[in-house]
Amino acid sequence: MLDLKEVKVILETALLASPEPLSLNALRKLFDDEFGAETLRRVLEELRQDWAGRGAELVNVATGWRFQTRAAYQRYLDRLNPEKPPRYSRAVLETLAIIAYRQPVTRGDIEDIRGVAVASTVLKALEARGWIEAVGQREVPGHPVLYATTKAFLDDLNLRALDELPPLEEMERLVDQSGVAYR
Amino acid sequence: MLDLKEVKVILETALLASPEPLSLNALRKLFDDEFGAETLRRVLEELRQDWAGRGAELVNVATGWRFQTRAAYQRYLDRLNPEKPPRYSRAVLETLAIIAYRQPVTRGDIEDIRGVAVASTVLKALEARGWIEAVGQREVPGHPVLYATTKAFLDDLNLRALDELPPLEEMERLVDQSGVAYR
Amino acid sequence: MNQIRPPTPLARIYGEPLLEIPRDLYIPPDALEVILDAFEGPLDLLLYLIRRHNLDVLDIPMARLTAQYMEYVEVMRAPQMELAAEYLLMAALLIEIKSRMLLPRQAEAAEETADPRAELVRRLLEYEQMKLAAQGLDALPQAGRDFALVQVWFEQVAEARLPQVSPDDLRNAWLGLLARARVTRHHKVTREELSVREHMSRILRRLRQREFVEFGELFETGPGVAELVVTFLALLELAKEGLIAISQQAPFAPVYARLFREADA
């Protein structure tokens, strides 16, 4: 039987080595289910605290736990690898926002909100990134595809669930803003 | 100007985030060449010692420095492999069952029982696995090879002898009684 | 009138310089593209005009807004007909709203008649909400852009995993055979028979290593009588199936077992 100190070392090692977040279930398999989820959660919390003040941190995202570097060190890492993921255009970001906050939506829904046509390339780019996916069709003539965001989208944005997305500005506040200079 | 403690944190962070070894030259880029190779080597050596006794270690391989997990933890990581083990096709399983229960048998015997031809690949796969082997030939025209299961087969299935295989009598009754149950 | 002025950014939207169209409607040749880049569509342009000119969303002065909007649309109509279509549609809507507001309203019905601007206001606010949400999303830390994932090197299991088979899989495979081929009667396999079969394989292996094996050598004395019986049964079964030949040169001479040869037939 392993003591909890060993458990912590093993958890740390597995999390450092795993290219993907590890769910509690996956982590339990490390120990052939010898430890319950509650115990592991406690050890993970301890581990998280052990890494306070270091360049990487242990976080809990949609699909599980993972180590990631802290944003403060990104400027150093950028010097090693000048290639960065694309900065998306407003068209892409607005489409993503509508899918994220209003899902599931069809392309028509997105066009209604934005007031302009949505280019196929926009949806393709988001699909290729693994951030959105077709989750079905709306049962109306033409059977338009319904889009939703994926777990990978949440993972990439460091979120555990959709309700951790920044809250929407309330309509009333938008109304109040009129009369105030728009930045 | 960074102090050496900061330098160590940045080195550690970059090495943790890099899936490939980082050369001293690459590591110097982290600091815009502010530090010489000698200084970095000293800090790396310190860092290596900091990680003593943990699940991962800092090593210097041919192409540079990298963190890697210690061999002692490999068996835990192996349990994580999310890949489900593949399954043998029905043809392979039935062939194996016939060889196990009816050995020694020729390919012709197997075909008689199965009612269909047995592909060479099926026998090859089982031979390559070390679970069956040719134990002789039947002295009839064509000299067909006689197959039997091996000791490795018993070992891999956790059996001491063939008669520890599930008895078929009850099952046969089950089939007889139900008649069409397993069609 | 046609005084040429260099484009001066009046505001920055998403980091893009935004040029307001001068009052005299002169547009520098490259300013049009800047405008088209800066706005995501007619709703976006309207929002900009409303916010920039401190108009009240709930009480949009339609005459003023429509006039300003038309200034933009005029300049983008010629070179960018296709894109301008969406803007033209909005222009038509604005003019329609404006004209409906000019219609005399009956004092009584005023309360019940919906404000012709209501739908436009709803759309503007919904779009603005999503526009701000997009900015919010973009501001979130993003893997690969604002932080990196940690991945320490480890020995990956390179070889493909082999399928696992359990004794029950074999049982089920056999069951499938039974159900399919109705071989029940011919292929009853009992424990005793299995032991015999196992020994048949073992004897064949032995005989492959040496041409002649003395009969007695094929019996292992350790495990007991049952073992001897099973071995004997295996030898008989092998002889019956024509897999081995058992021979004796002379009475009381040693009995030998060897693999069957065609010459024996």
Side-chain angles (χ1 to χ4, degrees):
Chain A
M1 172 109 182
L2 294 162
D3 65 17
L4 288 186
K5 227 175 120 191
E6 262 298 284
V7 169
K8 192 156 82 174
V9 175
I10 293 165
L11 281 176
E12 181 182 67
T13 308
L15 287 162
L16 285 172
S18 172
E20 256 119 60
L22 293 173
S23 67
L24 270 181
N25 261 345
L27 291 171
R28 288 186 60 188
K29 269 196 263 167
L30 280 173
F31 309 100
D32 279 340
D33 292 327
E34 191 182 324
F35 299 96
E38 214 25 75
T39 308
L40 292 189
R41 221 189 306 261
R42 221 168 48 235
V43 179
L44 285 165
E45 189 48 46
E46 238 181 72
L47 187 58
R48 208 172 60 77
Q49 281 161 24
D50 292 349
W51 279 77
R54 303 181 66 173
E57 60 188 331
L58 182 61
V59 295
N60 185 5
V61 292
T63 58
W65 293 76
R66 76 173 172 212
F67 274 109
Q68 66 189 37
T69 62
R70 288 177 203 274
Y73 294 88
Q74 191 59 33
R75 62 197 181 99
Y76 297 104
L77 303 187
D78 285 346
R79 292 178 189 163
L80 284 184
N81 188 10
E83 275 174 65
K84 305 213 81 186
R87 262 209 109 85
Y88 288 123
S89 68
R90 279 184 56 197
V92 174
L93 286 171
E94 288 179 9
T95 301
L96 179 63
I98 292 167
I99 296 173
Y101 285 93
R102 296 270 189 259
Q103 58 189 301
V105 288
T106 66
R107 187 165 169 170
D109 297 335
I110 301 167
E111 292 178 341
D112 283 346
I113 293 176
R114 295 193 64 229
V116 286
V118 171
S120 299
T121 47
V122 167
L123 292 169
K124 290 247 172 66
L126 289 169
E127 272 186 307
R129 183 75 187 262
W131 281 0
I132 66 165
E133 63 185 351
V135 291
Q137 299 178 338
R138 186 168 289 156
E139 288 309 317
V140 294
H143 299 280
V145 169
L146 286 163
Y147 292 99
T149 53
T150 62
K151 286 212 166 181
F153 163 73
L154 294 174
D155 280 352
D156 277 356
L157 295 187
N158 243 344
L159 305 170
R160 268 170 301 185
L162 278 176
D163 61 19
E164 287 186 1
L165 282 172
L168 286 175
E169 291 275 349
E170 286 174 30
M171 294 286 215
E172 297 87 75
R173 274 215 49 212
L174 295 178
V175 170
D176 290 344
Q177 273 182 0
S178 54
V180 182
Y182 191 61
R183 281 162 304 161
Chain B
M1 174 109 180
L2 295 162
D3 65 17
L4 287 187
K5 227 175 118 190
E6 262 298 284
V7 168
K8 191 157 81 175
V9 175
I10 294 166
L11 282 175
E12 181 183 66
T13 307
L15 286 162
L16 284 172
S18 171
E20 265 116 58
L22 293 173
S23 66
L24 269 180
N25 261 343
L27 292 171
R28 286 185 62 190
K29 266 195 268 167
L30 279 174
F31 310 99
D32 277 342
D33 291 328
E34 192 183 323
F35 299 96
E38 215 24 76
T39 308
L40 291 190
R41 221 189 308 262
R42 220 167 50 235
V43 179
L44 285 165
E45 187 49 46
E46 237 180 74
L47 188 58
R48 207 173 59 76
Q49 280 160 25
D50 292 349
W51 278 75
R54 303 180 66 171
E57 59 189 331
L58 182 59
V59 295
N60 187 2
V61 296
T63 52
W65 293 76
R66 76 167 171 217
F67 277 107
Q68 66 184 37
T69 58
R70 288 178 204 273
Y73 294 88
Q74 190 61 39
R75 63 197 178 99
Y76 296 105
L77 300 182
D78 288 343
R79 293 182 193 164
L80 278 183
N81 197 344
E83 254 182 276
K84 278 205 186 124
R87 286 197 54 85
Y88 277 129
S89 68
R90 199 172 74 173
V92 173
L93 281 175
E94 288 184 0
T95 302
L96 183 60
I98 292 166
I99 296 172
Y101 282 106
R102 297 294 299 158
Q103 60 190 288
V105 288
T106 66
R107 184 166 167 169
D109 299 336
I110 300 167
E111 292 179 344
D112 283 348
I113 296 176
R114 289 199 65 223
V116 287
V118 171
S120 302
T121 47
V122 169
L123 293 168
K124 290 245 172 64
L126 291 169
E127 269 188 305
R129 185 79 188 258
W131 281 358
I132 67 166
E133 63 177 341
V135 291
Q137 297 180 341
R138 187 168 285 154
E139 288 305 327
V140 294
H143 302 280
V145 169
L146 287 161
Y147 291 100
T149 53
T150 62
K151 180 89 177 47
F153 164 78
L154 293 177
D155 286 346
D156 286 354
L157 270 75
N158 246 329
L159 305 170
R160 272 166 303 180
L162 273 182
D163 62 9
E164 285 187 9
L165 276 174
L168 297 179
E169 301 101 292
E170 307 102 276
M171 291 201 330
E172 284 169 8
R173 265 201 305 280
L174 198 66
V175 172
D176 283 342
Q177 282 162 6
S178 57
V180 292
Y182 289 91
R183 266 168 195 281
Chain C
M1 277 291 275
N2 276 342
Q3 182 193 2
I4 292 171
R5 291 192 298 176
T8 32
L10 293 166
R12 284 182 180 271
I13 290 187
Y14 297 83
E16 293 281 344
L18 183 84
L19 307 167
E20 200 198 10
I21 299 175
R23 294 211 169 269
D24 59 8
L25 279 186
Y26 173 77
I27 307 278
D30 57 344
L32 177 65
E33 289 210 348
V34 176
I35 291 168
L36 289 178
D37 279 353
F39 297 114
E40 282 295 313
L43 284 173
D44 199 22
L45 173 54
L46 277 179
L47 263 181
Y48 167 73
L49 293 173
I50 289 167
R51 297 305 189 191
R52 167 136 184 88
H53 296 284
N54 294 345
L55 304 181
D56 184 350
V57 176
L58 290 186
D59 189 18
I60 301 172
M62 289 308 297
R64 208 174 138 198
L65 181 69
T66 308
Q68 288 191 338
Y69 183 84
M70 292 309 290
E71 289 177 6
Y72 281 83
V73 170
E74 273 306 311
V75 291
M76 61 178 77
R77 201 170 64 176
Q80 287 269 2
M81 265 315 284
E82 208 179 310
L83 184 90
E86 282 157 342
Y87 287 84
L88 287 175
L89 202 66
M90 179 59 73
L93 179 70
L94 292 178
I95 291 166
E96 194 218 324
I97 293 172
K98 194 174 80 174
S99 56
R100 268 163 59 197
M101 290 183 71
L102 291 175
L103 289 177
R105 278 183 291 179
Q106 290 174 321
E108 287 300 301
E111 299 295 308
E112 290 148 40
T113 312
D115 188 324
R117 297 169 295 185
E119 172 62 12
L120 178 65
V121 168
R122 189 198 62 76
R123 287 186 64 194
L124 280 169
L125 290 179
E126 183 174 30
Y127 174 65
E128 185 169 38
Q129 192 183 37
M130 285 302 137
K131 197 174 128 164
L132 294 170
Q135 292 178 46
L137 281 186
D138 198 35
L140 289 178
Q142 198 183 99
R145 187 186 74 187
D146 304 303
F147 60 88
L149 303 181
V150 166
Q151 210 222 308
V152 162
W153 191 87
F154 73 104
E155 191 86 53
Q156 307 254 13
V157 188
E159 55 196 313
R161 276 232 198 157
L162 292 169
Q164 295 302 305
V165 171
S166 72
D168 279 341
D169 291 331
L170 295 182
R171 181 219 299 259
N172 291 335
W174 190 264
L175 204 57
L177 283 170
L178 293 179
R180 209 167 68 242
R182 292 193 167 279
V183 290
T184 320
R185 221 160 295 142
H186 308 96
H187 292 287
K188 275 212 164 72
V189 178
T190 62
R191 283 186 188 285
E192 296 69 43
E193 195 184 344
L194 265 182
S195 302
V196 173
R197 299 244 145 230
E198 191 168 28
H199 279 80
M200 287 165 69
S201 296
R202 185 179 65 79
I203 292 164
L204 285 176
R205 278 192 192 93
R206 283 281 299 277
L207 291 176
R208 224 165 29 141
Q209 289 157 11
R210 244 165 64 198
E211 196 182 356
F212 288 95
V213 176
E214 209 259 306
F215 202 70
E217 273 182 59
L218 291 169
F219 293 85
E220 284 168 30
T221 44
V225 181
E227 177 76 11
L228 295 177
V229 172
V230 168
T231 305
F232 188 66
L233 287 173
L235 281 164
L236 290 182
E237 187 64 27
L238 284 168
K240 194 179 100 191
E241 292 186 17
L243 295 172
I244 61 167
I246 299 169
S247 60
Q248 189 180 31
Q249 300 296 48
F252 308 111
V255 176
Y256 286 100
R258 61 170 165 78
L259 292 177
F260 193 85
R261 288 187 299 243
E262 263 180 301
D264 297 329

